[in-house]
Amino acid sequence: MSSRTLPLLFLNLGGEMLYILDQRLRAQSIPGEKARKDEWTDVDRKRVMNDIIATMFNKKFMEELFKPQDLYSKKALRTVYDRLAHASIMRLNQASMDKLYDLMTMAFKYQVLLCPRPRDILLVTFNHLDAIKDFISESPGILNQVDETFRRLIETYNCLSDGEFQLIRQTLLIFFQDMHIRVSIFLKDKVQNSNGRFVLPISGPVPWGTEVPGLIRIFNHKGVEVKRAEFTAGNYVTPQREGSFELYGDRVLKLGTNMYSVTRPVETHMSGSSKNLASQAKENISPNPLAKEELNFLARLLGGLDIQKPAGGETGFRLNLFTTDEEEEHAAQTRPEELSYKVINIEATQEPGRRAELSRILGELVVAEPRPGSAEKGEDLLALMDGL
Amino acid sequence: SQAAWCELPTRVLLVLTSQRGVQMYESDGSTMVFWHALDVPEHPAAHSVFARGIAAAGGRFICVGTSFGAVLVFDIPPKGTNVTLSEVLEQHQDPITDIAAEQGQAQDGAGDLVTADDSGTLCLWSTGEEFTLLGKIPGSGSSCSSVTLWNGIVAAGYGNGQIRLWEAGSGRIRAQVSAHARWIYALDLAPLTGKLLSGAEDSFVHVWKLSRNPDTDDIEIQHCHAECVTDTQVCGARFCDPAGDTFAVTGYDLSEILCY
C-alpha cells in the first residue's frame, strides 16, 4: 500500500463535492432582488464555495495531509467531508449528505478505474484543481492557497515512477472496492451498468506510451527482425498527445472535469440486496477500534475550525441534494441499513468507557464560541481565515 | 499482499507476502513454519515497504522480493521450521515486482531464476549455495510487472501492455508483442506445452504459444486465443493444469473466480 495516497483521495473527492454543490446551488438559486431571507442567491453560492475551498486548502491542513500516512477508513473520511460541507452557512441533512458522499465516491472511483496510465491520476487531480481555481477566480487570496497546493502536488508526485503510481492506484481501488451505487448520470451516459459496475471500453485511444495491441515481432539471435504476425484484440487507436503535468496546460484527459450541469439533476439508486453487502455490513457493524485514533487525528487536522453560524441564528440555509423535501425525507427512511455510513453515529459501539471518550472528542469538534484554552493551532487557523 | 504455493521436491509451502514481511505455512494451512519481518521504519516513510514476488528455486530455496530491491533467499529444510535466510541478492535498485524459476529445461549457462523490478530491469541467476548473477537486462522505462522462465526463454509482461521474450543465456530480445492496451497484471506458463497466459487491466486474457527449436534456436510466440472479460480489470490469471487446457481468472470488484 502506498503512504502517499491520501492527498490525491482527499483533493479529488473534494473536487467532486464542489462540482455537485455548485450545481445544486445554481439549480436552487433565486435572483438577488427577488430572494426571501431563506432562499439562495448567487452571492450566497459564491460565499459558500469560497468558504469551503478556503477551508479545504488551508495551509496547515495541507501540511498534515501531505505527510506520508495510511488512508483513513471510509467512516473517518466521510466525517472530514461532513465538516467541510458545513464550513460555511450551508446546512445539509443526513440524507443529502449521504447522497453527496455517494456521488463523490462513485465519480472518483470511476475516474481511477478508467485512468489510462497509473500516472494519469495526477492529470485527473489537476483537472479538479483547474476547475476549483475557476470557482474562486475572483478571490486572489484563496487562489494563492490553491496554487500552493498545486505546486506541492507537482513537487511530490511528478517524479514518482509508474510502479509507484500503480501502487497508489491499487491503494485507491482497494478503498473503493465493492462500492456499486448506481448514479443516474452514469447510467444515462452508459458508463455504468444496471448492476452498478462501470463499463470498461475496449476501444478508443491507448494510453500514452502504449502501443495499439495486435502486433507480434520476432527477432533472430542477431537481433534482426525476421517475422511479423498480427492478431485482433479490441478496437484501439493511437493517442493524439500527452496531457500536461505543469501548473498550467491542456490536460487532454477528460476524467476529472465537471460532468454536472444545472439542467441534469443526479440521482443515486441503492440496491437493497447485493451479494457484496456482507463485507460492507461487517465493516459498519463491528466497532472500529481505531475509530478513536482516527477521530483524534481528525480533531487535530481540523483544529479549532470555526463553523460560522448564520445571521438569523436558526438552522441556516439548507441545501437539498434531492428535488423536493419529501424526496429527501423518503431517501432518509429507505436507505438500506447496510449502506448507511453511520458516521456521527459513534454510539454504535457498546463500551460505555469508549462512548464517553468519543463523545468528549466529538464535543471538541463541534465548536460554538471562542473556546477557552484551545490549542494555538485553532487560533492560527482562525487568524488565517480572518486574514482572507 | 500475495500468496503463492511453493513446490519443492520434499514439501509444499504456502508463502504470503505483505507490508510486514513474509510468512510461510504448511500446505494444509495448519501451522506457520516461519516468518520474516521486514525492517519497517518508525514513521511511515515516503517510500512504501513491502515484500513482493515469490518463487521456489533450485529445489531447495524460496526467494522473496522486497520493495528495497533486495531479493531474500531462504533455505528450506525438508521438514520442520528451521528455515534460514541464506542470502540477500542486491542487484536491483527498484522495488521487485516478480520472480520466476525455470519451469522447463534450463539451457547451458542460462540460469534457472529470473528477478524483475519496477524499472523493467531483469536479472538472471544461477541458484545454489551461493547465487550467481549471470546477466542483467536493463529496463526501458516501463515496469516489468510479471515474468516467467521456460526452456531458457524469459517471458516478461510490462506496465505498458507489452510482452517481450528474452533469451536467458545471452540477454537478447527475441520477440516483442503489443499484447495489451493496459497494465499487464499476470503471466502464467504451462510447462508441458509452453502455453503462456496473459491477463491485463484492459479486461483481456490472451493465450499464447511459446516454442523453441532446439536445432535452429529459433524462438517464437504465437497468438492462440483472446478472451474478453467484459467490464472487468483482470488482476489474476493462472492455468489450472500443467498442459494449459484450462485457466482461471480473477478481477477487481469481482467476487468470483472465472474458469475457462
Side-chain angles (χ1 to χ4, degrees):
Chain A
M1 292 305 104
S2 174
S3 54
R4 275 191 277 224
T5 314
L6 191 60
L8 297 180
L9 181 61
F10 176 77
L11 289 171
N12 284 293
L13 285 181
E16 287 301 315
M17 182 175 89
L18 289 166
Y19 288 159
I20 299 162
L21 290 179
D22 183 65
Q23 189 248 21
R24 292 309 294 161
L25 288 168
R26 280 176 198 273
Q28 292 184 5
S29 85
I30 314 286
E33 331 80 61
K34 300 197 188 135
R36 297 194 310 264
K37 197 171 149 209
D38 60 346
E39 283 177 333
W40 290 108
T41 64
D42 251 11
V43 172
D44 294 325
R45 172 177 58 82
K46 287 197 181 138
R47 178 173 169 191
V48 170
M49 297 298 282
N50 276 13
D51 286 348
I52 295 179
I53 294 171
T55 309
M56 214 174 126
F57 288 89
N58 175 279
K59 189 165 174 186
K60 288 205 155 73
F61 191 91
M62 279 295 137
E63 257 166 39
E64 272 298 322
L65 190 70
F66 272 80
K67 287 190 183 149
Q69 59 192 302
D70 287 334
L71 280 191
Y72 290 176
S73 69
K74 288 198 180 78
K75 270 189 265 187
L77 197 65
R78 159 67 199 263
T79 310
V80 176
Y81 288 105
D82 212 274
R83 310 308 299 165
L84 200 54
H86 288 94
S88 185
I89 53 174
M90 183 183 71
R91 290 285 160 274
L92 289 170
N93 284 345
Q94 178 86 324
S96 277
M97 189 65 218
D98 283 345
K99 179 177 174 181
L100 176 63
Y101 196 67
D102 286 344
L103 288 172
M104 283 159 57
T105 42
M106 287 310 285
F108 187 43
K109 178 176 181 176
Y110 172 69
Q111 289 153 14
V112 174
L113 209 52
L114 260 75
C115 257
R117 298 173 299 177
R119 80 174 49 241
D120 288 340
I121 276 174
L122 211 47
L123 289 178
V124 173
T125 316
F126 291 162
N127 270 334
H128 280 118
L129 288 190
D130 287 340
I132 289 172
K133 281 163 72 169
D134 219 36
F135 285 136
I136 41 121
S137 52
E138 296 161 21
S139 315
I142 314 175
L143 198 56
N144 242 354
Q145 283 173 253
V146 180
D147 269 339
E148 261 311 300
T149 304
F150 218 122
R151 277 186 214 105
R152 199 174 199 144
L153 275 173
I154 291 175
E155 205 180 280
T156 314
Y157 292 96
N158 273 19
C159 55
L160 294 188
S161 69
D162 282 342
E164 280 164 314
F165 270 112
Q166 181 66 326
L167 211 57
I168 288 173
R169 185 169 178 279
Q170 284 165 350
T171 311
L172 287 169
L173 287 177
I174 289 175
F175 182 83
F176 290 124
Q177 198 160 19
D178 296 330
M179 288 185 68
H180 299 298
I181 298 162
R182 285 152 19 236
V183 177
S184 70
I185 205 176
F186 287 141
L187 295 169
K188 218 168 288 173
D189 288 347
K190 304 248 187 285
V191 302
Q192 193 179 26
N193 294 322
S194 51
N195 63 3
R197 294 176 195 254
F198 289 117
V199 172
L200 298 183
I202 55 171
S203 59
V206 289
W208 191 261
T210 295
E211 286 176 13
V212 175
L215 184 62
I216 302 172
R217 297 166 68 193
I218 309 282
F219 304 94
N220 67 11
H221 60 270
K222 292 206 190 84
V224 177
E225 186 181 314
V226 291
K227 190 169 167 185
R228 280 198 171 202
E230 286 185 9
F231 66 95
T232 2
N235 191 12
Y236 296 99
V237 295
T238 27
Q240 295 268 353
R241 57 190 193 284
E242 190 183 13
S244 160
F245 287 87
E246 309 293 315
L247 195 57
Y248 301 99
D250 180 7
R251 312 297 173 196
V252 180
L253 197 63
K254 290 286 162 265
L255 294 170
T257 54
N258 196 345
M259 59 181 165
Y260 305 98
S261 72
V262 189
T263 51
R264 287 179 101 181
V266 190
E267 287 116 44
T268 51
H269 304 275
M270 305 296 130
S271 55
S273 62
S274 159
K275 279 179 273 183
N276 295 318
L277 283 176
S279 51
Q280 267 190 352
K282 239 171 66 168
E283 199 211 338
N284 282 331
I285 287 163
S286 54
N288 182 359
L290 289 176
K292 180 185 159 185
E293 213 50 53
E294 286 165 348
L295 279 179
N296 276 331
F297 220 81
L298 276 177
R300 275 200 286 132
L301 272 183
L302 294 167
L305 273 181
D306 191 13
I307 297 165
Q308 303 162 32
K309 293 278 190 263
E314 76 286 22
T315 41
F317 295 93
R318 199 168 60 77
L319 182 69
N320 190 346
L321 269 269
F322 299 84
T323 341
T324 63
D325 285 350
E326 290 72 37
E327 247 191 77
E328 190 186 43
E329 180 62 34
H330 183 253
Q333 286 168 353
T334 56
R335 190 179 181 90
E337 186 59 26
E338 314 81 46
L339 293 177
S340 91
Y341 288 104
K342 288 200 171 77
V343 179
I344 323 288
N345 197 0
I346 314 292
E347 310 86 61
T349 160
Q350 301 305 314
E351 303 174 34
R354 177 165 292 166
R355 202 183 314 165
E357 184 61 26
L358 290 172
S359 301
R360 183 183 69 76
I361 295 173
L362 247 192
E364 283 174 25
L365 276 181
V366 178
V367 168
E369 294 311 312
R371 296 141 300 295
S374 164
E376 311 82 66
K377 202 177 217 173
E379 279 150 29
D380 281 355
L381 287 171
L382 287 174
L384 267 170
M385 307 251 256
D386 286 340
L388 288 172
Chain B
S1 312
Q2 286 181 315
W5 294 108
C6 287
E7 278 186 47
L8 292 165
T10 51
R11 69 202 294 192
V12 176
L13 288 179
L14 177 65
V15 181
L16 306 176
T17 58
S18 69
Q19 289 181 277
R20 306 228 187 292
V22 187
Q23 293 172 336
M24 300 187 192
Y25 293 84
E26 293 289 5
S27 56
D28 59 1
S30 58
T31 36
M32 180 160 77
V33 170
F34 177 74
W35 76 288
H36 174 95
L38 288 176
D39 293 323
V40 182
E42 273 275 318
H43 305 281
H47 290 279
S48 314
V49 172
F50 52 83
R52 183 171 61 187
I54 308 168
R60 169 182 159 195
F61 303 100
I62 287 180
C63 302
V64 179
T66 67
S67 49
F68 312 119
V71 176
L72 308 171
V73 180
F74 297 99
D75 199 334
I76 314 291
K79 57 181 181 188
T81 59
N82 191 20
V83 174
T84 52
L85 178 63
S86 147
E87 228 184 313
V88 178
L89 310 174
E90 288 175 320
Q91 282 292 333
H92 289 274
Q93 317 284 359
D94 297 89
I96 303 293
T97 49
D98 199 13
I99 306 178
E102 170 65 72
Q103 288 182 263
Q105 294 282 79
Q107 316 284 293
D108 291 329
D112 55 340
L113 188 78
V114 60
T115 53
D117 72 28
D118 255 343
S119 71
T121 303
L122 300 168
C123 286
L124 288 135
W125 308 85
S126 162
T127 63
E129 281 283 341
E130 263 182 41
F131 279 43
T132 326
L133 177 72
L134 297 178
K136 213 180 215 180
I137 299 169
S140 50
S142 191
S143 170
C144 175
S145 44
S146 45
V147 73
T148 66
L149 179 56
W150 181 74
N151 287 0
I153 307 171
V154 176
Y158 295 85
N160 63 3
Q162 279 213 347
I163 292 178
R164 291 185 177 182
L165 298 188
W166 306 86
E167 198 175 84
S170 61
R172 286 205 196 91
I173 188 166
R174 296 304 297 264
Q176 199 165 304
V177 187
S178 313
H180 288 275
R182 292 281 192 282
W183 193 282
I184 294 180
Y185 255 107
L187 275 190
D188 194 29
L189 192 117
L192 290 184
T193 52
K195 276 196 199 158
L196 183 73
L197 187 67
S198 66
E201 275 174 13
D202 62 357
S203 59
F204 274 94
V205 179
H206 289 292
V207 182
W208 317 83
K209 183 96 173 5
L210 301 185
S211 57
R212 182 173 202 153
N213 187 318
D215 306 312
T216 62
D217 226 24
D218 283 338
I219 291 174
E220 276 217 16
I221 177 169
Q222 284 172 309
H223 182 256
C224 301
H225 184 73
E227 194 66 46
C228 179
V229 189
T230 316
D231 299 337
T232 304
Q233 294 195 344
V234 174
C235 294
R238 284 276 181 272
F239 283 118
C240 303
D241 64 278
D245 291 325
T246 50
F247 61 88
V249 171
T250 57
Y252 174 70
D253 259 353
L254 208 60
S255 46
E256 302 137 345
I257 299 176
L258 305 170
C259 294
Y260 295 82

